[in-house]
């Protein structure tokens, strides 16, 4: 069942004065793979705030669910949502508790989204206060929730839903399609004069085996209004470097790359050994944590990469054939 309500605006409530912020975002679970995803964007300059990551408004609990807190954002409300999820509450129970226990007694200003597994399947829920800035909207579907405030129009969330449902590929591909659709529909109204949909954007997907705070797939972009950069387009560039959605549907036509490739040691300091048993020729692309291409080459069945000159940090290794691709991550620590 789908529920559509009107409601909107995101604020960062600090210990001093709050900063008005508007947001469009989507949360979803893949019922087949149990991947959990989160994506969003907003017209706020995060460079003005210390300690906030680009993906702060969405929290993924691998194998369990995902929450988004926006519209007059208060960190304490998000912490309360996290506690409720960890206590095993259902999606609607989490929403009801947040509304009843708002830290400033102003739930009418907030906007929340929750998607989580239950013994009976996936549950979705949302809340948009009747005093949240307009335009504002929310949509809940069978396995997704979409929320937006101070958006160009309610067509932003409608377009996100249509693109998410229409897109082919895995959960990340569907989320990226939704973000692109939001940009095309106008995105964040407060960035209209800037000529962009937002000032920062993010997309992340966690596997059931991931740990909290460390999703397998995470990309983000942070800009200033003076940069003249469209964050969602930049997010798409980072996305395309790590994933080819056109190949996703062919993954079952040949052996899984994930099971055919073995990497060791990880973390690595001097050498990284790659062994694979895949019958097709493999290509390797290595990206650093900012999405820049670090190295690329064809692979033999056994390969040794010298990592002693690589700067410390996290790297993404994308292995690909003509039919499929697989990305994993390693840590370099000297």
């Amino acid at each position: 069942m789908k529920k559509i309500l009107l409601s909107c605006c995101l604020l960062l409530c600090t210990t001093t004065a709050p900063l008005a912020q508007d947001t469009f975002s989507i949360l979803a679970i893949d019922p087949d793979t149990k991947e959990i995803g989160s994506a969003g964007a907003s017209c706020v300059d995060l460079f003005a705030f210390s300690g906030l990551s680009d993906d702060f408004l969405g929290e993924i609990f691998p194998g369990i669910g995902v929450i988004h807190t926006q519209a007059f954002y208060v960190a304490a409300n998000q912490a309360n949502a996290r506690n409720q999820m960890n206590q095993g509450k259902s999606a609607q129970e989490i929403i009801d508790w947040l509304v009843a226990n708002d830290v400033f007694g102003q739930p009418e200003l907030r906007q929340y989204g929750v998607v989580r597994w239950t013994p009976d399947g996936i549950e979705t829920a949302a809340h948009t206060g009747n005093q949240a800035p307009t335009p504002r909207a929310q949509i809940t579907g069978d396995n997704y929730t979409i929320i937006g405030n101070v958006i160009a129009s309610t067509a932003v969330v409608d377009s996100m839903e249509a693109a998410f449902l229409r897109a082919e590929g895995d959960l990340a591909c569907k989320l990226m399609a939704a973000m692109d659709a939001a940009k095309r529909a106008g995105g964040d109204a407060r960035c209209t004069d800037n000529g962009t949909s937002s000032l920062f954007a993010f997309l992340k997907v966690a596997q059931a085996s991931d740990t909290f705070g460390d999703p397998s797939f995470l990309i983000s972009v942070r800009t200033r209004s003076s940069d003249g950069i469209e964050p969602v387009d930049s997010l798409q560039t980072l996305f395309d470097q790590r994933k080819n959605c056109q190949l996703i549907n062919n993954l079952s036509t040949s052996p899984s790359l994930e099971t055919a490739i073995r990497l060791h040691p990880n973390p690595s300091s001097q050498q990284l050994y790659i062994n694979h048993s895949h019958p097709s020729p493999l290509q390797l692309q290595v990206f650093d944590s900012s999405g820049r291409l670090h190295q690329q080459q064809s692979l033999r069945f056994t390969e040794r990469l010298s990592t002693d000159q690589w700067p410390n940090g996290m790297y993404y290794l994308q292995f690909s054939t003509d039919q499929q691709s697989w990305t994993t991550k390693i840590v370099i620590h000297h």
Side-chain angles (χ1 to χ4, degrees):
M1 181 178 67
K2 180 168 64 177
K3 305 172 185 176
I4 303 180
L5 303 176
L6 294 180
S7 26
C8 184
C9 181
L10 170 69
L11 265 91
L12 289 175
C13 288
T14 64
T15 55
T16 56
L19 172 69
Q21 181 180 338
D22 39 282
T23 301
F24 51 92
S25 65
I26 178 171
L27 322 66
I29 292 178
D30 187 313
D32 297 321
T33 66
K34 297 189 178 180
E35 290 179 314
I36 300 177
S38 166
S42 183
C43 188
V44 68
D45 186 348
L46 287 185
F47 288 102
F49 296 88
S50 61
L52 284 178
S53 64
D54 300 343
D55 60 321
F56 73 96
L57 66 86
E59 292 191 0
I60 298 178
F61 303 75
I64 300 173
V66 53
I67 58 172
H68 278 197
T69 57
Q70 60 190 51
F72 294 89
Y73 172 86
V74 178
N77 282 332
Q78 187 170 35
N80 286 336
R82 183 187 315 127
N83 291 335
Q84 294 298 303
M85 179 73 83
N86 286 330
Q87 290 176 26
K89 300 291 182 65
S90 70
Q92 191 59 53
E93 287 173 337
I94 294 172
I95 293 292
D96 293 343
W97 193 96
L98 292 172
V99 170
N101 296 275
D102 186 87
V103 295
F104 291 128
Q106 297 177 306
E108 65 274 9
L109 299 178
R110 319 291 181 214
Q111 191 169 48
Y112 301 119
V114 182
V115 181
R116 72 158 298 153
W117 288 100
T118 72
D120 298 322
I122 299 174
E123 184 184 49
T124 64
H127 164 76
T128 305
N130 59 15
Q131 293 184 31
T134 57
R136 55 189 183 237
Q138 69 178 44
I139 300 175
T140 59
D142 291 339
N143 66 322
Y144 60 89
T145 294
I146 304 170
I147 49 180
N149 61 86
V150 193
I151 44 181
S153 71
T154 57
V156 170
V157 295
D158 292 335
S159 297
M160 292 178 75
E161 181 186 36
F164 177 80
L165 295 174
R166 184 177 61 248
E168 297 183 353
D170 63 7
L171 183 59
C173 294
K174 294 177 179 295
L175 293 175
M176 190 67 244
M179 292 295 291
D180 181 66
K183 179 204 72 175
R184 294 176 184 276
D188 194 314
R190 294 189 180 183
C191 268
T192 300
D193 291 342
N194 190 50
T196 64
S197 69
S198 51
L199 289 180
F200 75 88
F202 72 91
L203 190 157
K204 54 187 176 181
V205 175
Q207 307 295 323
S209 59
D210 289 346
T211 57
F212 179 79
D214 188 22
S216 298
F217 188 91
L218 169 61
I219 54 175
S220 67
V221 175
R222 177 185 298 205
T223 72
R224 295 182 174 89
S225 59
S226 58
D227 290 342
I229 296 172
E230 168 52 57
V232 175
D233 287 347
S234 297
L235 195 73
Q236 182 76 64
T237 298
L238 292 175
F239 185 92
D240 291 342
Q241 289 174 352
R242 296 186 50 192
K243 189 176 287 290
N244 187 338
C245 293
Q246 294 179 341
L247 299 180
I248 295 296
N249 290 334
N250 295 324
L251 287 176
S252 61
T253 62
S254 59
S256 167
L257 289 176
E258 183 175 1
T259 59
I261 296 171
R262 188 166 68 92
L263 307 173
H264 66 96
N266 187 13
S268 173
S269 60
Q270 301 295 321
Q271 306 284 343
L272 176 67
Y273 294 89
I274 303 175
N275 305 99
H276 79 87
S277 57
H278 201 277
S280 301
L282 290 186
Q283 298 293 319
L284 169 65
Q285 290 183 303
V286 180
F287 301 93
D288 64 21
S289 59
S290 66
R292 291 188 294 266
L293 181 64
H294 179 75
Q295 183 173 321
Q296 62 181 341
Q297 66 183 79
S298 299
L299 288 181
R300 297 168 295 185
F301 287 105
T302 300
E303 200 75 52
R304 183 179 65 181
L305 302 184
S306 296
T307 60
D308 56 327
Q309 298 300 313
W310 295 16
N312 287 340
M314 183 177 295
Y315 293 80
Y316 297 91
L317 277 63
Q318 183 180 70
F319 300 89
S320 59
T321 69
D322 290 339
Q323 296 298 316
Q324 60 178 299
S325 65
W326 173 63
T327 301
T328 189
K329 57 189 176 183
I330 64 167
V331 174
I332 300 300
H333 181 71
H334 302 297

